[in-house]
Amino acid sequence: MASLTELELKRMLKELDFYESDYEYKNEIVMQAELEFIKSVNNFLVQNPELKTLFDEKVQKRLEENIKKKSEEEELNIEVKEEEDEETKFRSPKMKKLYREIVKKTHPDKIRDKKLNEVYIKATKYYNDADLLSIYKICSDLHIYYEVDIEDNEYVKEKIVSVKDKINFIQATYTWKWHFTENETDKNSVIFEYIKGQIK
């Protein structure tokens, strides 16, 4: 019988799945609405030439600042990236063991099942990314036993909070507000608020 810690982790992994799916769905909505929102902003600015001039100047200035900042950051990030690559190479004995168990049940050379072979591809990606939580999810689906540490539960809790924060961020964007605003007057109010934020 699974321990309470393991049961709690499985419950939280399902919760994490839900929030990750919700995030992907809402992110896709915003990405699709973004182009229409930008067109609407441009139309609004064309109808207000003085505002357009101010907006264009601010955006150009911010763009130049961001290019300069990015160039400086890239120089600093070269060393950090090398350190991260070294960390990613590390695989815990637990992860290696679970990955081997997954391979036994899903590898195309051993099993001729398209769905299971797709699971193998996913598991290999998760293993290469050192993504232990996703390896746990696959183990749960394949009924492979794994032991859970208290730290695992804490990590999942943090991930859930992080994904919730990303969802809240999406719902606070001007694109999201504009997309879910029905009448034209309110849509223009959202556009005006966005422009004001950009020219500050």
Side-chain angles (χ1 to χ4, degrees):
M1 183 174 168
S3 71
L4 289 175
T5 307
E6 287 161 1
L7 289 172
E8 178 65 7
L9 179 68
K10 287 176 182 178
R11 184 196 67 76
M12 287 193 299
L13 286 173
K14 286 181 181 176
E15 187 180 355
L16 180 60
D17 272 342
F18 168 77
Y19 285 116
E20 284 178 338
S21 296
D22 192 42
Y23 168 73
E24 286 169 15
Y25 167 70
K26 287 174 177 172
N27 191 48
E28 189 63 32
I29 288 174
V30 167
M31 286 174 67
Q32 289 184 16
E34 187 75 21
L35 188 59
E36 286 303 311
F37 176 65
I38 290 167
K39 281 183 187 175
S40 297
V41 169
N42 288 335
N43 289 339
F44 188 91
L45 288 168
V46 166
Q47 293 166 15
N48 298 275
E50 289 179 13
L51 198 57
K52 184 178 188 319
T53 302
L54 187 58
F55 179 85
D56 289 345
E57 286 172 0
K58 290 285 183 180
V59 168
Q60 183 62 35
K61 185 179 177 184
R62 193 172 290 122
L63 184 62
E64 289 167 4
E65 287 170 357
N66 286 343
I67 289 170
K68 184 180 176 184
K69 187 178 175 185
K70 190 173 180 184
S71 177
E72 291 168 358
E73 286 175 353
E74 280 174 358
E75 290 176 22
L76 293 172
N77 283 343
I78 293 169
E79 292 175 18
V80 175
K81 178 78 171 95
E82 287 171 359
E83 288 173 18
E84 285 174 355
D85 288 344
E86 287 302 314
E87 284 177 20
T88 307
K89 286 176 188 173
F90 173 75
R91 304 288 177 270
S92 69
K94 181 197 283 189
M95 180 177 279
K96 287 179 182 176
K97 182 183 173 190
L98 293 176
Y99 178 68
R100 279 197 296 270
E101 291 300 314
I102 293 168
V103 168
K104 286 178 191 173
K105 292 190 170 195
T106 62
H107 196 287
D109 291 345
K110 299 173 187 286
I111 306 292
R112 293 185 181 231
D113 182 304
K114 189 177 178 183
K115 286 185 180 176
L116 287 173
N117 297 157
E118 286 171 3
V119 170
Y120 166 76
I121 292 167
K122 283 183 185 177
T124 301
K125 180 187 181 305
Y126 298 147
Y127 179 74
N128 290 335
D129 292 344
D131 184 350
L132 183 59
L133 292 184
S134 295
I135 293 288
Y136 280 167
K137 287 180 193 176
I138 289 177
C139 287
S140 291
D141 293 341
L142 296 175
H143 307 291
I144 294 169
Y145 174 77
Y146 56 90
E147 290 183 5
V148 175
D149 302 321
I150 292 172
E151 292 81 14
D152 293 333
N153 281 357
E154 291 305 314
Y155 180 65
V156 178
K157 283 178 188 173
E158 288 170 13
K159 284 218 38 159
I160 289 169
V161 169
S162 173
V163 176
K164 282 181 172 179
D165 287 344
K166 290 199 285 188
I167 292 168
N168 290 336
F169 175 79
I170 284 173
Q171 292 175 331
T173 62
Y174 289 104
T175 303
W176 179 272
K177 291 175 189 173
W178 176 84
H179 179 72
F180 286 100
T181 300
E182 294 189 7
N183 70 65
E184 204 60 36
T185 303
D186 290 343
K187 278 187 180 290
N188 283 336
S189 294
V190 173
I191 289 169
F192 185 66
E193 286 301 313
Y194 166 75
I195 291 167
K196 273 200 324 186
Q198 292 298 306
I199 61 178
K200 277 182 182 177

